[in-house]
CSV table of all heavy atoms in Angstrom, one decimal:
chain,number,residue,atom,x,y,z
B,1,ALA,N,-41.8,6.9,95.9
B,1,ALA,CA,-41.6,5.5,96.2
B,1,ALA,C,-42.2,4.6,95.1
B,1,ALA,O,-41.7,3.6,94.7
B,1,ALA,CB,-42.1,5.1,97.6
B,2,ASP,N,-43.4,5.0,94.6
B,2,ASP,CA,-44.1,4.2,93.6
B,2,ASP,C,-44.7,5.2,92.6
B,2,ASP,O,-45.7,5.9,92.8
B,2,ASP,CB,-45.2,3.5,94.4
B,2,ASP,CG,-46.1,2.6,93.5
B,2,ASP,OD1,-46.1,2.8,92.2
B,2,ASP,OD2,-46.7,1.6,94.0
B,3,ALA,N,-44.1,5.2,91.4
B,3,ALA,CA,-44.5,6.2,90.4
B,3,ALA,C,-45.9,6.0,89.9
B,3,ALA,O,-46.6,6.9,89.7
B,3,ALA,CB,-43.5,6.1,89.2
B,4,GLU,N,-46.3,4.7,89.8
B,4,GLU,CA,-47.7,4.5,89.4
B,4,GLU,C,-48.7,5.0,90.4
B,4,GLU,O,-49.7,5.6,90.1
B,4,GLU,CB,-47.9,3.0,89.1
B,4,GLU,CG,-49.3,2.6,88.7
B,4,GLU,CD,-49.8,3.4,87.5
B,4,GLU,OE1,-49.0,3.6,86.5
B,4,GLU,OE2,-51.0,3.8,87.4
B,5,ALA,N,-48.5,4.7,91.7
B,5,ALA,CA,-49.4,5.2,92.7
B,5,ALA,C,-49.4,6.7,92.8
B,5,ALA,O,-50.5,7.3,92.9
B,5,ALA,CB,-49.0,4.6,94.1
B,6,SER,N,-48.2,7.3,92.7
B,6,SER,CA,-48.2,8.8,92.7
B,6,SER,C,-48.8,9.4,91.5
B,6,SER,O,-49.5,10.4,91.6
B,6,SER,CB,-46.7,9.2,92.8
B,6,SER,OG,-46.2,8.9,94.1
B,7,ALA,N,-48.6,8.8,90.3
B,7,ALA,CA,-49.3,9.3,89.1
B,7,ALA,C,-50.8,9.2,89.3
B,7,ALA,O,-51.5,10.2,88.9
B,7,ALA,CB,-48.8,8.5,87.9
B,8,ARG,N,-51.3,8.1,89.8
B,8,ARG,CA,-52.7,8.0,90.0
B,8,ARG,C,-53.2,9.1,91.0
B,8,ARG,O,-54.3,9.7,90.8
B,8,ARG,CB,-53.0,6.6,90.6
B,8,ARG,CG,-54.5,6.3,90.7
B,8,ARG,CD,-54.8,4.8,91.0
B,8,ARG,NE,-53.9,4.2,92.0
B,8,ARG,CZ,-52.9,3.4,91.7
B,8,ARG,NH1,-52.6,3.0,90.4
B,8,ARG,NH2,-52.1,2.8,92.7
B,9,PHE,N,-52.5,9.3,92.1
B,9,PHE,CA,-52.8,10.3,93.1
B,9,PHE,C,-52.9,11.7,92.4
B,9,PHE,O,-53.9,12.5,92.5
B,9,PHE,CB,-51.8,10.4,94.2
B,9,PHE,CG,-52.1,11.5,95.2
B,9,PHE,CD1,-52.9,11.2,96.3
B,9,PHE,CD2,-51.4,12.7,95.1
B,9,PHE,CE1,-53.1,12.3,97.2
B,9,PHE,CE2,-51.7,13.7,96.0
B,9,PHE,CZ,-52.5,13.5,97.1
B,10,TYR,N,-51.9,12.1,91.6
B,10,TYR,CA,-51.9,13.4,91.0
B,10,TYR,C,-52.9,13.5,89.9
B,10,TYR,O,-53.5,14.6,89.7
B,10,TYR,CB,-50.5,13.7,90.4
B,10,TYR,CG,-49.5,14.1,91.5
B,10,TYR,CD1,-48.7,13.2,92.2
B,10,TYR,CD2,-49.4,15.4,91.9
B,10,TYR,CE1,-47.9,13.6,93.2
B,10,TYR,CE2,-48.5,15.8,92.9
B,10,TYR,CZ,-47.8,14.9,93.6
B,10,TYR,OH,-46.9,15.3,94.6
B,11,ARG,N,-53.3,12.5,89.3
B,11,ARG,CA,-54.4,12.5,88.3
B,11,ARG,C,-55.7,12.6,89.0
B,11,ARG,O,-56.5,13.5,88.7
B,11,ARG,CB,-54.4,11.2,87.5
B,11,ARG,CG,-53.4,11.1,86.3
B,11,ARG,CD,-53.7,10.0,85.4
B,11,ARG,NE,-54.1,8.8,86.0
B,11,ARG,CZ,-53.3,7.8,86.3
B,11,ARG,NH1,-52.0,7.8,86.0
B,11,ARG,NH2,-53.7,6.7,86.9
B,12,ASP,N,-55.9,11.8,90.0
B,12,ASP,CA,-57.2,11.7,90.7
B,12,ASP,C,-57.5,12.9,91.6
B,12,ASP,O,-58.7,13.4,91.6
B,12,ASP,CB,-57.3,10.5,91.6
B,12,ASP,CG,-57.4,9.2,90.8
B,12,ASP,OD1,-57.5,9.2,89.5
B,12,ASP,OD2,-57.2,8.1,91.4
B,13,ILE,N,-56.5,13.5,92.2
B,13,ILE,CA,-56.7,14.6,93.2
B,13,ILE,C,-56.5,15.9,92.5
B,13,ILE,O,-57.4,16.8,92.6
B,13,ILE,CB,-55.8,14.5,94.4
B,13,ILE,CG1,-56.0,13.2,95.1
B,13,ILE,CG2,-56.0,15.7,95.3
B,13,ILE,CD1,-57.5,13.0,95.7
B,14,LEU,N,-55.4,16.1,91.7
B,14,LEU,CA,-55.2,17.4,91.1
B,14,LEU,C,-55.7,17.5,89.7
B,14,LEU,O,-55.7,18.6,89.1
B,14,LEU,CB,-53.7,17.7,91.2
B,14,LEU,CG,-53.1,18.0,92.6
B,14,LEU,CD1,-51.6,18.2,92.5
B,14,LEU,CD2,-53.8,19.1,93.3
B,15,GLY,N,-56.0,16.4,89.1
B,15,GLY,CA,-56.5,16.4,87.7
B,15,GLY,C,-55.4,16.6,86.6
B,15,GLY,O,-55.7,17.0,85.5
B,16,LEU,N,-54.1,16.2,87.0
B,16,LEU,CA,-53.1,16.3,86.0
B,16,LEU,C,-53.2,15.2,85.0
B,16,LEU,O,-53.9,14.2,85.3
B,16,LEU,CB,-51.7,16.1,86.7
B,16,LEU,CG,-51.3,17.2,87.8
B,16,LEU,CD1,-49.9,17.0,88.3
B,16,LEU,CD2,-51.6,18.6,87.3
B,17,HIS,N,-52.7,15.4,83.8
B,17,HIS,CA,-52.8,14.4,82.7
B,17,HIS,C,-51.5,13.7,82.4
B,17,HIS,O,-50.4,14.4,82.5
B,17,HIS,CB,-53.3,15.1,81.5
B,17,HIS,CG,-54.6,15.8,81.7
B,17,HIS,ND1,-55.8,15.1,81.8
B,17,HIS,CD2,-54.9,17.1,81.9
B,17,HIS,CE1,-56.8,15.9,82.0
B,17,HIS,NE2,-56.3,17.2,82.1
B,18,ASP,N,-51.6,12.4,82.1
B,18,ASP,CA,-50.4,11.7,81.7
B,18,ASP,C,-49.8,12.2,80.5
B,18,ASP,O,-50.5,12.4,79.5
B,18,ASP,CB,-50.7,10.2,81.5
B,18,ASP,CG,-50.6,9.4,82.8
B,18,ASP,OD1,-49.6,9.5,83.5
B,18,ASP,OD2,-51.6,8.7,83.1
B,19,GLU,N,-48.5,12.5,80.5
B,19,GLU,CA,-47.8,13.0,79.3
B,19,GLU,C,-47.2,11.8,78.6
B,19,GLU,O,-47.4,11.5,77.5
B,19,GLU,CB,-46.8,14.0,79.7
B,19,GLU,CG,-46.1,14.7,78.5
B,19,GLU,CD,-47.0,15.7,77.8
B,19,GLU,OE1,-48.1,16.0,78.3
B,19,GLU,OE2,-46.6,16.2,76.8
B,20,HIS,N,-46.4,11.0,79.4
B,20,HIS,CA,-45.8,9.8,78.9
B,20,HIS,C,-45.1,9.1,80.1
B,20,HIS,O,-44.8,9.7,81.1
B,20,HIS,CB,-44.8,9.9,77.8
B,20,HIS,CG,-43.5,10.6,78.1
B,20,HIS,ND1,-43.4,11.9,78.1
B,20,HIS,CD2,-42.4,10.1,78.5
B,20,HIS,CE1,-42.1,12.2,78.5
B,20,HIS,NE2,-41.5,11.1,78.8
B,21,ALA,N,-45.0,7.8,79.9
B,21,ALA,CA,-44.2,6.9,80.9
B,21,ALA,C,-43.0,6.4,80.2
B,21,ALA,O,-43.1,5.6,79.3
B,21,ALA,CB,-45.1,5.8,81.4
B,22,GLY,N,-41.9,6.8,80.7
B,22,GLY,CA,-40.6,6.3,80.1
B,22,GLY,C,-40.0,5.3,81.0
B,22,GLY,O,-40.6,4.9,82.0
B,23,ALA,N,-38.8,4.9,80.6
B,23,ALA,CA,-38.1,3.9,81.4
B,23,ALA,C,-37.7,4.4,82.8
B,23,ALA,O,-37.6,3.7,83.8
B,23,ALA,CB,-36.8,3.4,80.7
B,24,VAL,N,-37.4,5.7,82.9
B,24,VAL,CA,-36.9,6.3,84.1
B,24,VAL,C,-38.0,7.3,84.8
B,24,VAL,O,-38.1,7.3,86.0
B,24,VAL,CB,-35.6,7.1,83.9
B,24,VAL,CG1,-35.1,7.8,85.1
B,24,VAL,CG2,-34.6,6.2,83.3
B,25,LEU,N,-38.7,8.0,84.0
B,25,LEU,CA,-39.6,9.0,84.5
B,25,LEU,C,-41.1,8.8,84.0
B,25,LEU,O,-41.3,8.4,82.9
B,25,LEU,CB,-39.2,10.4,84.0
B,25,LEU,CG,-37.8,10.9,84.5
B,25,LEU,CD1,-37.5,12.2,83.8
B,25,LEU,CD2,-37.8,11.1,86.0
B,26,ARG,N,-42.0,9.1,84.9
B,26,ARG,CA,-43.4,9.1,84.6
B,26,ARG,C,-43.7,10.6,84.6
B,26,ARG,O,-43.6,11.3,85.6
B,26,ARG,CB,-44.2,8.4,85.7
B,26,ARG,CG,-45.7,8.4,85.5
B,26,ARG,CD,-46.1,7.4,84.4
B,26,ARG,NE,-47.5,7.4,84.2
B,26,ARG,CZ,-48.2,6.3,84.7
B,26,ARG,NH1,-47.6,5.4,85.4
B,26,ARG,NH2,-49.5,6.3,84.5
B,27,VAL,N,-44.2,11.1,83.4
B,27,VAL,CA,-44.4,12.6,83.3
B,27,VAL,C,-45.9,12.9,83.2
B,27,VAL,O,-46.6,12.3,82.4
B,27,VAL,CB,-43.7,13.1,82.0
B,27,VAL,CG1,-43.8,14.6,81.8
B,27,VAL,CG2,-42.2,12.7,82.0
B,28,LEU,N,-46.2,13.9,84.0
B,28,LEU,CA,-47.6,14.4,84.1
B,28,LEU,C,-47.6,15.9,83.6
B,28,LEU,O,-46.7,16.6,84.0
B,28,LEU,CB,-48.2,14.3,85.5
B,28,LEU,CG,-48.2,12.9,86.1
B,28,LEU,CD1,-48.5,13.0,87.5
B,28,LEU,CD2,-49.2,12.0,85.3
B,29,ARG,N,-48.6,16.3,82.9
B,29,ARG,CA,-48.8,17.7,82.4
B,29,ARG,C,-49.4,18.5,83.5
B,29,ARG,O,-50.5,18.2,84.0
B,29,ARG,CB,-49.6,17.6,81.2
B,29,ARG,CG,-49.9,19.0,80.6
B,29,ARG,CD,-48.8,19.7,80.0
B,29,ARG,NE,-48.0,19.0,79.1
B,29,ARG,CZ,-46.8,19.6,78.6
B,29,ARG,NH1,-46.4,20.8,79.0
B,29,ARG,NH2,-46.0,18.9,77.8
B,30,VAL,N,-48.8,19.6,83.9
B,30,VAL,CA,-49.3,20.5,84.9
B,30,VAL,C,-50.1,21.6,84.1
B,30,VAL,O,-51.3,21.9,84.5
B,30,VAL,CB,-48.2,21.2,85.8
B,30,VAL,CG1,-48.8,22.2,86.7
B,30,VAL,CG2,-47.5,20.1,86.5
B,31,ASP,N,-49.5,22.2,83.1
B,31,ASP,CA,-50.2,23.2,82.3
B,31,ASP,C,-49.4,23.2,80.9
B,31,ASP,O,-48.6,22.3,80.7
B,31,ASP,CB,-50.2,24.6,82.9
B,31,ASP,CG,-48.8,25.2,83.2
B,31,ASP,OD1,-47.8,24.8,82.6
B,31,ASP,OD2,-48.8,26.0,84.1
B,32,ALA,N,-49.8,24.1,80.1
B,32,ALA,CA,-49.2,24.1,78.7
B,32,ALA,C,-47.7,24.1,78.7
B,32,ALA,O,-47.0,23.6,77.8
B,32,ALA,CB,-49.8,25.3,77.9
B,33,GLY,N,-47.1,24.8,79.7
B,33,GLY,CA,-45.6,24.9,79.7
B,33,GLY,C,-44.9,24.2,80.8
B,33,GLY,O,-43.6,24.4,80.9
C-alpha cells in the first residue's frame, strides 16, 4: 500500500538495504543475487 513505509519496515526489521527507488518500483537488496 505504501512503498516508503514498507521499505522502512524491511530496512528496520530485516536489515535489507535500499538498491534504488524508481518511478514504479522501490528495490531492496536481500543478498548478492
Side-chain angles (χ1 to χ4, degrees):
D2 182 335
E4 178 56 37
S6 290
R8 187 172 40 258
F9 176 88
Y10 282 89
R11 282 193 319 262
D12 293 350
I13 300 300
L14 293 178
L16 302 187
H17 300 284
D18 274 306
E19 189 75 8
H20 71 272
V24 178
L25 297 173
R26 178 73 178 260
V27 180
L28 301 169
R29 175 71 47 191
V30 175
D31 60 26

